[in-house]
Amino acid sequence: EAQVTQNPRYLITVTGKKLTVTCSQNMNHEYMSWYRQDPGLGLRQIYYSMNVEVTDKGDVPEGYKVSRKEKRNFPLILESPSPNQTSLYFCASSFRRLGPGEQYFGPGTRLTVT
Amino acid sequence: GQQLNQSPQSMFIQEGEDVSMNCTSSSIFNTWLWYKQDPGEGPVLLIALYKAGELTSNGRLTAQFGITRKDSFLNISASIPSDVGIYFCAGTGTASKLTFGTGTRLQVTL
């Protein structure tokens, strides 16, 4: 089954404790992206990747890191999480080599930073 | 960054009614897309539009890419309870990223 998977689905952590949220897709998509969703703000893009070893900042990249060492995986890293990073996070991927195109979204990761 | 204004923010409608929502941008977009998000899940693509003036249907859903390339609308005909959810417009401009609107929450009463 074609899908985007994220782990963990739920995470509660404390300020400053490094964490990684994994994202994997099995559709051979070149383009992958991370979003955060907050009430009243819709989805805002954090980082995106056009292909392996190619990443770029989205609209809200501060406090986040990403890597794209393999085509199927695009982990999101929070080196020192803070409470303002409490949010619902989505990973997405698409076929469009030159742009985001029609994205497939993962099920989401709800992160709480205390 | 680019801003997308989506309206209305929320709608309460009765089953069987038609629904209309729209999205406007402060700048020209090359692609417009409409997504739906059910509770506890990620957004799912409903319709993608690639040309100014394009009108595309997907079952009871119809969406149009505005002629100015700065707006798009989504219509749902004869709404049913499973139409409940949050609808997002999204678009791409000159940058290789997708910008989302703030969403329209649709609730359907029997």
Side-chain angles (χ1 to χ4, degrees):
Chain A
E1 179 189 355
Q3 59 184 352
V4 178
T5 57
Q6 295 178 227
N7 282 293
R9 292 291 311 277
Y10 302 90
L11 179 58
I12 300 174
T13 190
V14 296
T15 299
K17 186 176 181 181
K18 181 180 178 179
L19 66 91
T20 299
V21 182
T22 65
C23 173
S24 182
Q25 51 93 4
N26 62 1
M27 295 170 279
N28 203 34
H29 288 167
E30 292 93 359
Y31 187 98
M32 297 187 74
S33 183
W34 275 102
Y35 297 87
R36 61 178 289 173
Q37 184 175 24
D38 302 291
L41 297 177
L43 290 111
R44 294 178 293 167
Q45 191 176 50
I46 303 170
Y47 268 94
Y48 63 95
S49 169
M50 301 281 275
N51 213 328
V52 175
E53 301 291 2
V54 181
T55 63
D56 209 345
K57 296 177 180 178
D59 294 317
V60 289
E62 294 77 20
Y64 305 95
K65 286 175 57 178
V66 293
S67 69
R68 187 89 182 274
K69 297 189 187 323
E70 305 166 285
K71 197 171 190 179
R72 63 182 294 130
N73 296 323
F74 190 45
L76 178 69
I77 304 156
L78 284 72
E79 294 271 3
S80 183
S82 62
N84 65 13
Q85 292 177 299
T86 292
S87 188
L88 179 58
Y89 291 86
F90 289 100
C91 179
S93 69
S94 69
F95 276 119
R96 289 295 181 105
R97 191 176 183 84
L98 297 179
E102 303 166 10
Q103 295 195 22
Y104 292 78
F105 281 80
T109 294
R110 186 166 293 282
L111 173 65
T112 301
V113 184
T114 61
Chain B
Q2 292 171 323
Q3 300 290 320
L4 285 185
N5 295 312
Q6 189 171 346
S7 65
Q9 284 189 325
S10 62
M11 304 179 73
F12 284 85
I13 62 168
Q14 286 195 327
E15 184 177 5
E17 287 185 354
D18 296 342
V19 173
S20 184
M21 59 190 79
N22 65 77
C23 204
T24 58
S25 168
S26 57
S27 56
I28 290 173
F29 273 14
N30 296 320
T31 306
W32 281 97
L33 305 102
W34 286 91
Y35 286 83
K36 182 192 177 199
Q37 185 178 24
D38 291 327
E41 299 182 13
V44 174
L45 181 67
L46 298 174
I47 293 177
L49 303 158
Y50 294 100
K51 295 180 184 178
E54 180 180 354
L55 184 72
T56 297
S57 293
N58 178 6
R60 294 178 295 106
L61 278 62
T62 301
Q64 184 160 27
F65 192 142
I67 200 71
T68 65
R69 298 169 65 190
K70 290 185 177 182
D71 62 338
S72 178
F73 72 76
L74 175 71
N75 286 340
I76 305 173
S77 63
S79 58
I80 59 178
S82 63
D83 289 334
V84 166
I86 304 176
Y87 292 80
F88 291 99
C89 62
T92 62
T94 54
S96 297
K97 57 182 183 178
L98 198 58
T99 300
F100 279 83
T102 51
T104 295
R105 184 180 296 274
L106 179 64
Q107 300 199 47
V108 179
T109 58
L110 300 177

